[in-house]
Amino acid sequence: MRIAIGLASAMILAGCGGSESGNSSTPAAPAAPVAGTAAPAGTQWTDTVEKTAEGGFRMGNPNAPIKLIEYGSRTCGHCAAFAVTGMEPLKAYVASGKVSFEFRDFLLNPIDLGAALLGQCAGPGPFFAIMDQMYEQQRTLLENGPKEGDPFLQQVETMAPAQRTAALAERFGYLGFVQQRGVPEAQARQCLADQKAIDALVKSNEAAAKEYNIPGTPTFILNGKVLENTGTWPQVEAALKAAGA
């Protein structure tokens, strides 16, 4: 997957195609309600976060009968809208043990790469808190970027890929963002330069595009099937209920 696209198109809330209308791809007849499962003593499913073999981060009961996956871009306005309106009510379903939620970064532009690397840098524990706050401040972060005519735009195009990723993350404020949330600068810069992590993200994106033919972001997968025309929390919730949540 190519992510070295022009910055002009990357600096706007574009490239994401979450649907704000239409019906989600839910079964014709609702499934029977599934049973909840209590979290181990002294824990909550919403605090149970693991990195998956596919490169995502999953919250909740790993054996939940209803598995929801989101492919999201950190610069996508539709993804931010879902996070702001949907994450808290979604956590109620996760807390029941019936539903697990996995977020997988999907790269739409060069800015996404640095944002994703930094968003994953602190590991599973704070992953969703950092992601939620990153979405809450998405517009402010993107407005930090260079404006038309800024020499930075020409400079960044001449940089080597690793330098470009770090320069964009710093200029748009993502580097400072994670530092304010407990990630030391040295660790953050190491994450930005982690070629193994970069390769894993690109490989994951290529696999997703091949398996699910991702039409845009956010794209939701429920128990292995793409939820078509589904980009808002009410649509996702309807699909969860139809699956027995």
Side-chain angles (χ1 to χ4, degrees), residues 105-121:
D105 277 287
F106 197 79
L107 310 177
L108 296 180
N109 57 62
I111 304 166
D112 270 332
L113 177 57
L117 291 168
L118 291 172
Q120 298 182 16
C121 192

Side-chain angles (χ1 to χ4, degrees), residues 31-52:
V34 301
T37 303
T43 68
Q44 300 180 66
W45 285 129
T46 51
D47 294 330
T48 302
V49 181
E50 298 175 337
K51 186 169 185 178
T52 67

Side-chain angles (χ1 to χ4, degrees), residues 108-166:
L108 296 180
N109 57 62
I111 304 166
D112 270 332
L113 177 57
L117 291 168
L118 291 172
Q120 298 182 16
C121 192
F127 175 84
F128 283 100
I130 289 175
M131 185 189 79
D132 290 348
Q133 292 169 30
M134 195 174 282
Y135 274 131
E136 288 171 1
Q137 296 190 31
Q138 182 193 81
R139 185 167 295 278
T140 299
L141 286 163
L142 294 182
E143 287 176 350
N144 287 333
K147 307 301 184 288
E148 186 175 355
D150 191 319
F152 176 83
L153 292 173
Q154 292 183 330
Q155 294 169 3
V156 77
E157 292 291 352
T158 66
M159 295 177 182
Q163 291 177 309
R164 182 184 304 123
T165 300

Side-chain angles (χ1 to χ4, degrees), residues 105 107 113 116-117 120 197-206:
D105 277 287
L107 310 177
L113 177 57
L117 291 168
Q120 298 182 16
I198 293 170
D199 292 343
L201 272 169
V202 173
K203 183 177 179 180
S204 172
N205 278 211
E206 290 174 342

